[in-house]
Amino acid sequence: MNGITPINSAKTRSQTPLQKITQWFDQQGWRPWPYQRKAWQSYKRGESGLIHVPTGAGKTYAALMGPVMQLMATPKKNRSTGLKILLITPLRSLSRDTEKAIQAPITDMGLDISVETRSGDTKQSVRRRQRNKLPDILITTPESFSLLLSYANAHELFAQLRCVVVDEWHELVGTKRGLQLELNVSRVRQFAPQFQIWAMSATLAQPIEAAKAIVGNVRDLPEPVVVDAKLKRPVVIRTLLPHDIQSFPWAGYLGLTMLPKLVNHLDIQKSALIFTNTRAQAERWFQEILAAKPEWAGLLALHHGSLDEKNRRFVEDAIKTGLIKLVVCTSSLDLGVDFPLVEQVIQIGSPKGVARLMQRAGRAKHRVGATCEIICVPTNALQILEFAAVRQAIDQNNIEPNPSHENAYDVLAQHIVTCAAGGGFSPDDMYQAVITAHSYRNLTREQFNWVMELVEFGGANLKAYPEYHKIENLNGQYGVKTPRLEQIHRMNIGTISSDSQMVVRFAKGKKLGYVEEGFVAKLKRGDRFVFAGRNLELFRVEDDAALVKLSKRNPNVVAKWSGSRMPISESLGAAMREVLATSRSRTKPSDEIKSIQPILASQADLSALPTHEQLLIEPCKTREGYHCFIYPFEGRIVHEGLAPLLALRMARSERVSISLSVDDYGIEMFCKTPFDFEAHLNADLFSQKNLIDDILESINLSNLSKRQFRDIARIAGLVQQNYPGKRHSARQLQTSASLLFDVFQRYDPSNLLITQAQEETLAQYFELPRLKRCLQRLDKQHHLIKTTNRPTPFAFPLIAERVTSTLSNESAVEALKKLSQRWDVPV
């Protein structure tokens, strides 16, 4: 680089590492931020912790330059070979940017420090070499970290480690991937006790707790440090509002009525990311924008996690160079990939969460001091209220806390087998290491011994089956029984659970990406669907691939992926209730509130707008039957647990069939036969008394737990998805896991994996802690009961939800049109 003092000059040789780094910053036209210097000094003192600053502020250099200066202080000839710095990223796409960011100063300063990446995209020849010799700095994922720990020479690979850096910690903390990482760190501490660990994030509600989670529960270590900075990146939220709110849909999620307004807003000369909440929605919007602006072909691209990795990498590189201007994407571009040319971010549909919207807004103008502007596009009327609410939550810094997840026995079982393959262990040493992981700090020795017995003998019920005997005790040290078991274990390492994927490719061979096996199983030859931005027709299914060809006919099926029913967060729900309660009394209402006032006025005229102290309940009789609408504004998942609970408690006094529908805002209970809902709104309806028993009575927890157990059994290694030369389908996994579930439930009801499955089911399907907080709030609120003679603006989306979930797409549209005409409601 021009202007850099040669590394071998007398002046440079006499400089300290800090002076060299500072000089390199100067040559980039930068000056180290005070918080970066603070982080370097903290590292020099031997501290560990969290760097918590806004996006685009140079967190990577804050975390890495301290350990790099430590390397610089020791000449290469005097340094031992091997890994010194390990950087963990949650996404493979982040590793490419991170490697470039680290390599730049090392190359410019002529440092003899090697940097490499290891992930599923790394060439096999490189990975084979890395099994025996790691670079000075390695960038990898939690899964690849586990793989390295599963090799017999793991101790030698990690013995020289000085620092672990975890990027985007908010994406991992509280998840099973985060637990896997915590356990990996606890294992490496046995090999390199003195290493330091730092995490990085921009959107954590509880940074001190997050710092404790990554540093761990290690005796004699000082309290973790949180390095923050008074750096502001204002988040500006603007909303594209419909011309006529009265004709804007009250329900629905695609939002294509806003397409002309969005297209008019877009400037092909300015780079933008257009975020959607689902892959199917991204596919549809990409096609619709291209149809509206065919001259943008080549400048508009599609990006989501199911597309082929080569296509995704091309799009990422093209955004950075300006070759592509607009990208319709999903959460695949949420995290910290640096796109300096992106000037604007657009969010289509509900933001779902405060931190999520902040993270996406941060992709625009990815630099300190620059305003993060995000344009929100509503897909239905009530989402306009969400945009006003999320702005208020950001202004109040009301960000969602990260979930906690303790003592996941399935992750621990997998980790124990990994450590047995990776050089072996003694039970006492392993237990002491495991409880240094923050999420396992309360694990008892009895629980640990139970997991040990599970992986050694298959537990109490599977001792007769050798395939469940994974590890064995050889003179006090545990190892894996056979090389084949080691191989199968490595093929199944990881905690990410998803349905089996099938390759989508043209008959002539070009791969487009992946769709879920369950979707392909329902297709017939000749069915047409949109994928990778193309109209495709199924040609045939061959092994694990769906062979397709281009089609000029309109699609007749819609590609769907799991995970598309994300609820609004607790923070966003609270903000919505606050905005709603004060919407009519504000002296300076926001543009969103002004826009939606006719809808709110209609709601108030037909029923009411609840205040902070009120829970709105609307009994209603229509030609269909008898309805009761309740509006907790607590998110879809909580409502999915609350609805059957309330229906059970109401129906105990008389036999009745109640149909349920929920959305993010409320609940509908519906009877075709006469039922006096108002008479059943008693004081105990929202009580927490006998809550768990009532939940168990109101749902089939066993069936839900059985499905959850499939993922637990796979992570724990009781069922395997991948074998040499073959892969089991989701149906095969479910069948095998269901048999084990039934055996455990019948003969070993106290089995810890069964208990875990039930706890995870309540947490995943009903958000039990949040449900309890919701019930406590609803029980204290005044119940504002407003009997209506027709569905209100809040109610109609719930009716639409019920109709569309019980009818085919075509008849659902027809039914909704009839209902909307009858009640004069836009749809």
Side-chain angles (χ1 to χ4, degrees):
M1 183 179 293
N2 293 336
I4 292 183
T5 304
I7 197 69
N8 59 357
S9 72
K11 179 181 177 181
T12 302
R13 287 197 300 270
S14 65
Q15 288 180 322
T16 66
L18 177 58
Q19 289 171 329
K20 292 178 182 178
I21 294 294
T22 303
Q23 181 186 24
W24 182 80
F25 268 67
D26 288 341
Q27 290 161 350
Q28 314 309 307
W30 305 336
R31 179 175 297 176
W33 293 101
Y35 93 87
Q36 291 175 318
R37 291 184 179 275
K38 183 179 177 181
W40 302 341
Q41 293 164 0
S42 186
Y43 181 82
K44 189 175 182 179
R45 290 193 297 267
E47 295 170 338
S48 297
L50 171 72
I51 297 171
H52 190 238
V53 295
T55 57
K59 291 189 293 294
T60 301
Y61 290 140
L64 284 169
M65 286 307 186
V68 166
M69 282 187 269
Q70 187 181 50
L71 283 179
M72 293 168 64
T74 307
K76 180 74 172 182
K77 62 181 180 180
N78 296 333
R79 292 203 309 260
S80 56
T81 59
L83 180 66
K84 306 301 188 305
I85 304 170
L86 179 67
L87 194 146
I88 308 295
T89 70
L91 291 179
R92 288 177 289 184
S93 59
L94 293 180
S95 63
R96 295 191 295 272
D97 268 30
T98 304
E99 183 174 355
K100 290 178 182 178
I102 299 171
Q103 192 67 59
I106 289 173
T107 300
D108 292 345
M109 290 186 288
L111 303 178
D112 194 2
I113 296 174
S114 54
V115 183
E116 292 179 4
T117 295
R118 181 188 177 94
S119 70
D121 295 336
T122 305
K123 291 181 180 179
Q124 189 65 35
S125 59
V126 175
R127 280 186 279 174
R128 279 196 299 268
R129 173 173 52 76
Q130 289 173 342
R131 286 181 56 174
N132 298 310
K133 184 181 178 182
L134 291 175
D136 295 309
I137 302 175
L138 181 69
I139 305 158
T140 191
T141 61
E143 293 75 20
S144 291
F145 188 6
S146 286
L147 276 170
L148 288 170
L149 287 172
S150 74
Y151 296 125
N153 63 338
H155 183 281
E156 290 78 17
L157 291 175
F158 291 97
Q160 306 301 321
L161 186 65
R162 299 180 183 180
C163 184
V164 176
V165 176
V166 182
D167 197 10
E168 305 288 0
W169 178 226
H170 62 272
E171 186 72 12
L172 296 171
V173 64
T175 68
K176 287 192 176 181
R177 295 184 80 202
L179 268 62
Q180 180 185 25
L181 177 57
E182 289 182 42
L183 288 172
N184 290 347
V185 169
S186 76
R187 175 65 166 173
V188 170
R189 277 203 179 94
Q190 295 181 301
F191 306 149
Q194 301 305 314
F195 80 86
Q196 296 164 248
I197 185 165
W198 286 86
M200 301 182 285
S201 180
T203 53
L204 284 166
Q206 300 169 319
I208 294 175
E209 290 302 313
K212 290 179 179 179
I214 191 59
V215 172
N217 184 44
V218 184
R219 186 182 303 173
D220 300 329
L221 272 187
E223 283 290 306
V225 175
V226 175
V227 175
D228 52 19
K230 295 180 180 179
L231 300 175
K232 298 296 183 182
R233 287 203 69 202
V235 178
V236 174
I237 299 173
R238 305 188 193 282
T239 303
L240 284 187
L241 298 168
H243 293 296
D244 181 11
I245 193 66
Q246 296 285 17
S247 62
F248 195 61
W250 289 3
Y253 73 97
L254 279 177
L256 290 172
T257 53
M258 292 295 291
L259 176 67
K261 196 156 191 176
L262 175 62
V263 169
N264 289 336
H265 171 81
L266 293 172
D267 183 349
I268 198 61
Q269 301 303 318
K270 294 183 179 179
S271 184
L273 300 179
I274 304 170
F275 281 103
T276 65
N277 290 332
T278 68
R279 285 165 280 190
Q281 196 178 14
E283 292 274 0
R284 183 71 183 274
W285 271 87
F286 171 77
Q287 287 236 319
E288 295 292 341
I289 293 173
L290 193 59
K293 288 286 187 178
E295 65 271 24
W296 289 357
L299 299 175
L300 173 71
L302 176 68
H303 191 290
H304 60 70
S306 292
L307 298 178
D308 182 57
E309 188 268 335
K310 290 181 180 178
N311 292 340
R312 284 185 281 120
R313 181 176 293 193
F314 169 80
V315 171
E316 291 163 16
D317 292 340
I319 306 170
K320 295 172 187 176
T321 61
L323 183 64
I324 287 175
K325 295 294 186 180
L326 306 175
V327 181
V328 183
C329 56
T330 62
S331 56
S332 57
L333 291 182
D334 265 3
L335 298 182
V337 180
D338 189 5
F339 299 126
L341 297 182
V342 171
E343 291 295 310
Q344 192 176 83
V345 171
I346 291 159
Q347 167 66 38
I348 294 177
S350 169
K352 299 298 184 181
V354 181
R356 192 166 189 255
L357 192 80
M358 292 176 66
Q359 187 71 28
R360 289 184 170 182
R363 299 301 101 222
K365 302 178 182 177
H366 200 252
R367 51 192 178 271
V368 174
T371 298
C372 309
E373 182 180 72
I374 187 164
I375 306 298
C376 295
V377 181
T379 64
N380 59 59
L382 287 181
Q383 285 179 359
I384 298 174
L385 193 67
E386 285 191 52
F387 299 145
V390 76
R391 180 190 293 112
Q392 179 167 297
I394 290 173
D395 291 343
Q396 297 172 351
N397 198 32
N398 185 15
I399 303 172
E400 300 84 7
N402 289 88
S404 60
H405 201 320
E406 291 192 9
N407 293 353
Y409 307 111
D410 54 345
V411 182
L412 179 57
Q414 183 183 114
H415 179 71
I416 288 174
V417 179
T418 295
C419 295
F425 62 87
S426 72
D428 290 343
D429 289 345
M430 175 58 66
Y431 175 68
Q432 292 303 321
V434 165
I435 60 175
T436 65
H438 183 76
S439 298
Y440 291 88
R441 64 194 184 280
N442 297 319
L443 184 78
T444 67
R445 185 60 189 258
E446 182 181 13
Q447 292 167 329
F448 175 80
N449 290 342
W450 187 93
V451 179
M452 282 288 296
E453 185 177 353
L454 177 73
V455 294
E456 184 177 5
F457 303 117
N461 301 109
L462 302 175
K463 291 182 178 180
Y465 303 94
E467 61 266 32
Y468 298 109
H469 301 187
K470 304 293 181 65
I471 65 175
E472 61 181 347
N473 189 343
L474 299 172
N475 301 320
Q477 287 286 115
Y478 277 88
V480 177
K481 295 196 72 168
T482 67
R484 177 174 171 79
L485 284 174
E486 281 191 21
Q487 181 187 20
I488 294 173
H489 175 73
R490 290 192 183 105
M491 294 179 69
N492 290 278
I493 279 179
T495 62
I496 299 175
S497 298
S498 63
D499 287 341
S500 297
Q501 304 283 304
M502 293 192 73
V503 174
V504 179
R505 60 180 174 87
F506 288 121
K508 293 184 179 180
K510 181 181 178 182
K511 185 167 72 172
L512 298 175
Y514 301 86
V515 294
E516 290 176 2
E517 186 181 81
F519 169 69
V520 177
K522 297 176 182 178
L523 296 181
K524 305 184 299 292
R525 180 187 174 100
D527 277 347
R528 303 172 303 283
F529 60 98
V530 174
F531 181 71
R534 300 169 171 91
N535 281 341
L536 304 176
E537 180 179 318
L538 181 67
F539 182 63
R540 70 171 181 270
V541 177
E542 183 179 273
D543 297 328
D544 62 345
L547 303 185
V548 297
K549 58 184 179 181
L550 292 175
S551 175
K552 294 182 179 180
R553 301 169 63 193
N554 290 331
N556 64 333
V557 293
V558 177
K560 293 182 179 180
W561 290 265
S562 61
S564 62
R565 293 166 69 85
M566 182 186 299
I568 62 170
S569 70
E570 192 166 7
S571 294
L572 182 53
M576 284 195 71
R577 294 192 298 272
E578 184 176 347
V579 167
L580 184 62
T582 59
S583 61
R584 305 191 77 178
S585 60
R586 297 190 179 203
T587 55
K588 293 183 179 180
S590 65
D591 290 341
E592 291 88 356
I593 297 299
K594 290 178 183 176
S595 172
I596 203 175
Q597 274 296 354
I599 301 293
L600 298 181
S602 177
Q603 172 69 33
D605 291 342
L606 292 170
S607 173
L609 293 176
T611 66
H612 291 295
E613 295 78 26
Q614 295 173 328
L615 170 66
L616 179 61
I617 302 174
E618 295 174 349
C620 177
K621 181 180 181 299
T622 67
R623 295 179 186 177
E624 280 190 294
Y626 298 79
H627 313 254
C628 182
F629 302 99
I630 304 175
Y631 305 105
F633 283 86
E634 196 62 56
R636 177 184 292 274
I637 292 181
V638 170
H639 293 167
E640 286 178 345
L642 185 60
L645 175 69
L646 299 183
L648 170 75
R649 291 175 172 179
M650 283 187 170
R652 276 184 171 149
S653 60
E654 60 182 286
R655 296 181 63 84
V656 64
S657 295
I658 300 177
S659 298
L660 304 172
S661 69
V662 304
D663 63 10
D664 275 326
Y665 317 123
I667 295 166
E668 180 204 27
M669 292 182 281
F670 170 70
C671 289
K672 290 187 176 180
T673 56
F675 185 77
D676 188 353
F677 282 104
E678 187 172 350
H680 292 78
L681 296 172
N682 56 57
D684 295 329
L685 191 62
F686 300 102
S687 170
Q688 294 194 52
K689 186 178 180 181
N690 301 321
L691 175 60
I692 300 300
D693 291 338
D694 284 354
I695 289 176
L696 296 179
E697 186 180 348
S698 68
I699 61 169
N700 190 338
L701 185 66
S702 180
N703 278 349
L704 291 175
S705 298
K706 185 178 289 188
R707 184 166 184 82
Q708 187 67 22
F709 183 78
R710 181 192 73 178
D711 295 335
I712 291 173
R714 186 198 63 76
I715 293 169
L718 295 179
V719 297
Q720 306 284 7
Q721 187 157 23
N722 301 309
Y723 288 89
K726 65 178 180 178
R727 176 183 174 89
H728 280 173
S729 67
R731 180 176 295 180
Q732 290 171 312
L733 282 180
Q734 186 64 59
T735 299
S736 300
S738 295
L739 290 173
L740 290 175
F741 182 88
D742 292 338
V743 169
F744 291 156
Q745 195 170 52
R746 176 175 294 184
Y747 299 108
D748 186 15
S750 61
N751 186 293
L752 292 183
L753 296 185
I754 293 290
T755 303
Q756 181 182 342
Q758 293 170 343
E759 291 174 350
E760 287 188 9
T761 298
L762 289 172
Q764 179 174 327
Y765 288 92
F766 306 108
E767 293 195 60
L768 185 59
R770 184 175 170 187
L771 175 59
K772 289 180 177 179
R773 292 191 293 271
C774 175
L775 283 170
Q776 186 177 23
R777 173 175 61 83
L778 300 183
D779 194 35
K780 291 180 179 179
Q781 287 181 317
H782 169 67
H783 297 165
L784 180 62
I785 302 172
K786 292 287 186 178
T787 301
T788 64
N789 55 16
R790 52 166 284 190
T792 66
F794 288 179
F796 186 77
L798 289 162
I799 294 176
E801 186 80 24
R802 173 167 50 83
V803 171
T804 56
S805 65
T806 56
L807 299 173
S808 68
N809 285 340
E810 184 179 4
S811 57
V813 171
E814 292 172 353
L816 286 178
K817 284 183 177 179
K818 291 178 182 177
L819 292 176
S820 66
Q821 290 168 358
R822 184 186 308 161
W823 296 321
D824 192 25
V825 173
V827 64

